[in-house]
Amino acid sequence: MNERDRQRLVDGYLRRLARELDDAPREARQELLEDVRSHIEEAWAASGQTQADLQAILQRLGEPAALAAEEREKLGLPAPARSPDLLAVAAIIFTVLFWPLGLLLAWLSARWRTRDKVIATLIPPLGLALVLSVGLAAYRSGPVVSGPAGATGGTSPWLQVLGWTLALLGLFAPLAAAVFLAWRLRPRPGWSWLLAIAGTGAVVCLLILVFFLQALPNGGRPATGPAPVRTAEVITNP
Amino acid sequence: MADNQGLITQMRKGAVEYCILALLAGRERYGYELVQVLSSVHGMLVSEGTVYPILSRFRREGLVATEWRESTSGPPRKYYRLTPAGEAALAEFREQWRVFVRAVDTFLEQGGML
């Protein structure tokens, strides 16, 4: 059995074990992974070093889920849920569509730690605050009141670019919160799940963005004058 | 008898922890060595991996102390040894276990005659 195949089998076993202990304290997880890896190395060194030997070693260790269940019991952690449930998926999708409802669902779900719920809840309002403050700042430094670029009488181009970038970031804040929630699902689902959830959210958010940009009179292009303020209106209206 | 099987499993789970402490009495051992000795006695271990969560808990509770040491024949080994608290826990279990076994045996062996 070549070294690469061996590593692949061992790493696969340890990865499954790690995934089952995703919500365990990092030190406890690391310790168990280290102990089990050390066990496999010892047993391998003493074995005939064929693929069948390695499979027997892993089989005698027990299923990663069973081993993790033992560790979870010792740590006083609840048994993990198997896959993302309807409530969790609904929470993520609704965070994109209408974030107050989505985040409410997230708080009802047991699939996130309180810390993660707090972070996800802070993201959309902070994004909104960012857009509003930038819009306001851009408006004040605009043609009416002369700001840093007051000598020429208009909003400086870099400020407009900055304003629009931040405004877009603010618009995407609920999407960021949804992606964060998908990422912090516990126990962590596979990559395909995360991609599916985040992808759905991204498509929905893009559709909403396109819809609003088309609804703008000038097609959404940044114009001189009060354009950033219009962005703020876009954010507050839905 | 599913219930009976469950009881045996529970008893083994509880007892194996003290067997591990007993194996560490008076000498230090590394994890794989402990697993090998436990596996060599039939009926003690269902899956070998379960020894490690137990050892981690012992360490967290201060019943054992650990030390990584280089090995002449392979990867470094984590050695476990009993702390005074571990020795006390083992001594207490030893005492209670004897009383318990004697009590159960009394009923199992002469239940009808009592």
Side-chain angles (χ1 to χ4, degrees):
Chain A
M1 185 183 197
N2 69 44
E3 179 60 22
R4 220 186 61 212
D5 287 348
R6 188 181 81 89
Q7 280 302 335
R8 197 172 45 80
L9 266 176
V10 173
D11 289 346
Y13 183 92
L14 293 175
R15 204 164 34 239
R16 281 192 288 153
L17 182 57
R19 195 179 301 154
E20 297 280 342
L21 290 168
D22 194 46
D23 52 340
R26 192 171 160 278
E27 282 154 38
R29 184 173 62 241
Q30 291 299 105
E31 182 175 20
L32 183 61
L33 289 173
E34 205 171 64
D35 289 345
V36 170
R37 185 184 282 280
S38 166
H39 172 106
I40 296 172
E41 296 299 328
E42 289 275 355
W44 173 254
S47 75
Q49 314 210 334
T50 66
Q51 181 158 351
D53 286 320
L54 181 57
Q55 279 162 348
I57 290 168
L58 298 182
Q59 203 197 333
R60 281 202 305 274
L61 266 174
E63 274 296 307
L67 190 45
E70 200 73 27
E71 176 75 11
R72 299 180 72 87
E73 189 192 310
K74 300 276 183 278
L75 291 168
L77 291 171
R82 287 294 93 201
S83 62
D85 52 303
L86 199 62
L87 181 62
V89 172
I92 291 167
I93 300 291
F94 273 106
T95 298
V96 180
L97 291 174
F98 181 60
W99 58 265
L101 176 61
L103 291 172
L104 177 71
L105 294 177
W107 277 98
L108 292 177
S109 169
R111 296 296 300 275
W112 287 283
R113 283 196 227 166
T114 307
R115 196 194 63 180
D116 292 338
K117 290 176 184 174
V118 170
I119 294 174
T121 307
L122 286 177
I123 294 174
L126 285 180
L128 197 62
L130 191 70
V131 172
L132 288 177
S133 58
V134 167
L136 203 64
Y139 182 73
R140 279 196 179 149
S141 65
V144 183
V145 183
S146 53
T152 54
T155 309
S156 69
W158 70 264
L159 193 64
Q160 273 197 31
V161 171
L162 183 72
W164 273 86
T165 309
L166 288 177
L168 279 179
L169 282 180
L171 194 62
F172 277 101
L175 178 65
V179 170
F180 177 77
L181 284 176
W183 176 52
R184 302 300 289 183
L185 258 184
R186 290 177 177 275
R188 212 160 283 182
W191 278 109
S192 51
W193 256 105
L194 284 185
L195 283 178
I197 295 170
T200 310
V203 167
V204 169
C205 198
L206 270 176
L207 286 176
I208 295 173
L209 184 68
V210 167
F211 175 79
F212 275 112
L213 285 182
Q214 292 212 324
L216 285 178
N218 64 352
R221 278 184 303 278
T224 50
V229 179
R230 223 176 264 146
T231 318
E233 285 165 8
V234 168
I235 305 300
T236 41
N237 283 339
Chain B
M1 284 181 58
D3 282 345
N4 193 3
Q5 207 49 48
L7 175 66
I8 296 294
T9 305
Q10 285 305 313
M11 278 172 32
R12 178 170 35 213
K13 263 180 81 171
V16 75
E17 303 192 358
Y18 290 94
C19 294
I20 292 173
L21 286 184
L23 283 173
L24 293 171
R27 63 177 288 186
E28 52 179 18
R29 298 179 193 257
Y30 56 98
Y32 184 65
E33 183 186 2
L34 280 168
V35 171
Q36 276 187 308
V37 183
L38 286 167
S39 305
S40 68
V41 178
H42 178 73
M44 205 61 239
L45 271 188
V46 178
S47 55
E48 298 182 345
T50 52
V51 169
Y52 297 103
I54 296 171
L55 286 169
S56 300
R57 205 201 72 204
F58 283 166
R59 190 191 53 75
R60 281 194 295 272
E61 290 178 350
L63 301 182
V64 302
T66 62
E67 191 190 343
W68 281 95
R69 226 174 287 155
E70 291 299 323
S71 139
T72 50
S73 61
R77 289 164 171 169
K78 190 175 177 181
Y79 280 84
Y80 298 83
R81 63 181 164 75
L82 286 189
T83 62
E87 281 167 17
L90 177 61
E92 192 190 333
F93 180 78
R94 214 188 278 275
E95 185 56 39
Q96 289 180 352
W97 177 255
R98 288 205 178 109
V99 173
F100 178 67
V101 168
R102 209 173 299 135
V104 174
D105 277 348
T106 304
F107 292 108
L108 287 181
E109 283 158 19
Q110 25 175 337
M113 293 177 283
L114 289 174

